[in-house]
Amino acid sequence: MPARESAENATPFVAYDRASWASLSAQKPSTLSDGDLARIRSTGDHLDLDEVIQVYQPLAELLSLYIQATRDLHHHTRTYLGAHTTLTPFVIGVAGSVAVGKSTTSRLLRELLGAQPHTPRVDLVATDGFLWPTEELERRGILHRKGFPESYDRRSLLRFISQVKSGVSPVEAPVYSHLFYDRLEHESQIIDAPDVLILEGLNVLQPPSGSSALAVSDLFDFSIYVDARTADIAHWYEERFLALQQGAFADPRSYFHRYSSLSEPEARAEARRIWAQVNKPNLEDNIAPTKPRASLILRKEADHRINTVLLRKV
């Protein structure tokens, strides 16, 4: 019989080191190729086959258990009530700081869950599309706070996820362009009754805002927070800024094209300024405080590799 936790050491999470977590799975060889990983991996992020096999395959297997359990509960509840309700998509929220790797995590989970025979249809939506258009942010005087909770059309985001969990189909989500640093006015992503929907964004675990009694995260079936030390994320952000400055920013259409001519010292100084004035305050004031709301936390070390997984106790 396991020992009871003392009050001062009580936590709602069970912690697994990397080896313990990896041992939960049979660790089958991954079907993903190096080319697949290059497509999934965000600029500056780390992802190799060891990470897939040791961390993400066990996570995908666990999520499959949660998905099946949710389906069983729906079936038994419908039978008990004599109802004819339709099973709605299983929704996974993925949160974390800029440059921490949440987009890589989301894309990889889409691949792994989509390869499962019982969840072949997995959609991924980024909350960037729900940012207010640049013109509106400028009108409100908050363009410098892009990514903060108030820079999102939270009512539209909540309406979108509410429709998904109500069984409405199809549903449209706005699309964002990182090239133009703005929402694409005449484009949308169609979400048509997937088995699983992954919603990825900085602030998806925020509690209810304003007069709303409901938060987006209240409609999640499972949520993941990608975590790391603030100093490590700041370093990753700086390195990613340099990679983009030498790559995507070189496109004359890029909103950040003005940065492409900076010298390396100038680019590093600009990245540090943006981090200190925008991304660090947003992380510390808005994003990190939502970490305890997650179902599972993936904790990274300085080399970008996940070394600890914390799972909320059932």
Side-chain angles (χ1 to χ4, degrees), residues 21-178:
W21 181 256
S23 69
L24 299 175
S25 170
Q27 296 194 32
K28 297 172 291 186
S30 175
T31 59
L32 297 174
S33 66
D34 289 338
D36 292 327
L37 297 188
R39 171 175 51 82
I40 293 167
R41 188 188 303 118
S42 294
T43 301
D45 203 357
H46 167 88
L47 182 66
D48 60 19
L49 288 177
D50 283 344
E51 192 88 345
V52 173
I53 294 170
Q54 295 174 14
V55 177
Y56 287 101
Q57 282 187 177
L59 176 53
E61 291 173 6
L62 178 69
L63 285 168
S64 293
L65 292 176
Y66 275 76
I67 292 167
Q68 189 56 55
T70 300
R71 290 177 172 178
D72 291 343
L73 177 61
H74 173 266
H75 169 74
H76 293 306
T77 303
R78 185 178 61 177
T79 300
Y80 178 75
L81 297 175
H84 299 284
T85 55
T86 302
L87 181 67
T88 60
F90 187 92
V91 178
I92 302 169
V94 181
S97 170
V98 167
V100 79
K102 62 186 179 301
S103 296
T104 297
T105 291
S106 300
R107 287 193 290 267
L108 181 54
L109 288 177
R110 178 178 59 185
E111 293 284 335
L112 295 176
L113 292 174
Q116 302 283 347
H118 60 287
T119 54
R121 300 180 61 192
V122 182
D123 283 339
L124 170 59
V125 171
T127 59
D128 292 344
F130 291 92
L131 285 160
W132 289 110
T134 298
E135 183 179 358
E136 178 63 17
L137 292 172
E138 289 176 335
R139 187 187 71 79
R140 297 183 179 208
I142 57 171
L143 182 59
H144 65 291
R145 290 177 67 82
K146 196 167 189 176
F148 284 68
E150 65 269 25
S151 67
Y152 291 87
D153 183 353
R154 287 177 281 186
R155 182 175 297 178
S156 292
L157 177 56
L158 180 58
R159 181 170 58 248
F160 164 76
I161 202 69
S162 296
Q163 289 175 335
V164 169
K165 287 305 290 181
S166 297
V168 176
S169 187
V171 181
E172 294 187 20
V175 175
Y176 185 83
S177 168
H178 289 278

Side-chain angles (χ1 to χ4, degrees), residues 244-254 256-257 259-261:
L244 291 171
Q245 187 248 349
Q246 297 163 13
F249 294 170
D251 190 326
R253 299 172 300 164
S254 171
F256 296 107
H257 182 61
Y259 293 142
S260 63
S261 60

